Amino acid sequence: MPVLITAGLSQEAYRVKRILDKAEVVFADSSPLPQIPGTKSLVLPSYTSSSFVHEVLKACLDLGIKKVYPLKSGEVRELAKARLLFAEYEVRLILPSDEWLRNNEMTAAPRDAAITVVEEGAAVAGADLPEPLSINKETGIFAWATRDQKTEYSLYLVEDAGI
């Protein structure tokens, strides 16, 4: 099954692809992407467009995509509002709970940050997480660092004019 990674023009999208180690990845962005042999891409409207959520869902249904990895803060906010709609079609949005999003600032992660894909609190790809996992039951792509024996997590996001 293919997965969808947004911000397809960014280095971060390709880093996520690399750690997911998925054969079928569709990159999406609001600007046309260069045609790279062996990759699939599509153009989606900006997350500021009223049709953004519906176009993402349509692309998922048309292409058989079951997981979406949004990498821009605006996309995360808009897709979080449509969480139930995507669940009805069995498309999983890889983003944190509404509570986590309310309580944490969304800023772009440092490029050299360790990143881990977490689903339901379990690391599924990327750097090994230190124990104990302090983001119990969360889902998302998290950048993290340990400072003064405390692990701090943030979403792994790209620079975004909408931040």
Side-chain angles (χ1 to χ4, degrees):
M1 293 262 157
V3 299
L4 178 70
I5 301 173
T6 69
L9 287 172
S10 69
Q11 293 176 10
E12 291 84 354
Y14 288 88
R15 185 175 182 197
V16 171
K17 178 195 185 298
R18 203 170 39 256
I19 69 165
L20 288 175
D21 196 26
K22 297 278 186 192
E24 293 183 77
V25 172
V26 177
F27 292 100
D29 209 308
S30 56
S31 298
L33 285 90
Q35 293 303 310
I36 300 172
T39 64
K40 294 181 184 175
S41 62
L42 60 98
V43 177
L44 292 171
S46 167
Y47 62 82
T48 60
S49 169
S50 61
S51 65
F52 172 72
V53 167
H54 295 288
E55 290 296 322
V56 173
L57 182 58
K58 181 182 181 311
C60 290
L61 297 175
D62 290 349
L63 300 171
I65 292 168
K66 293 296 181 186
K67 289 186 181 181
V68 177
Y69 298 85
L71 294 180
K72 292 181 180 178
S73 62
E75 295 168 345
V76 169
R77 282 191 289 273
E78 292 306 309
L79 290 171
K81 295 175 193 174
R83 204 183 297 266
L84 290 176
L85 175 63
F86 280 79
E88 286 177 20
Y89 291 96
E90 298 178 356
V91 176
R92 181 143 166 99
L93 299 172
I94 306 302
L95 48 89
S97 66
D98 292 335
E99 179 183 358
W100 195 94
L101 292 171
R102 273 192 307 276
N103 295 326
N104 292 276
E105 199 173 311
M106 285 199 286
T107 58
R111 288 195 191 272
D112 62 346
I115 63 170
T116 305
V117 178
V118 177
E119 292 187 30
E120 303 293 324
V124 296
D128 291 335
L129 288 170
E131 294 295 330
L133 183 62
S134 66
I135 52 173
N136 295 331
K137 302 301 179 205
E138 286 297 346
T139 294
I141 304 172
F142 293 93
W144 57 272
T146 302
R147 292 183 185 89
D148 300 324
Q149 298 182 342
K150 182 180 178 206
T151 303
E152 297 174 1
Y153 296 92
S154 63
L155 277 183
Y156 186 64
L157 299 169
V158 302
E159 286 295 328
D160 180 5
I163 290 179

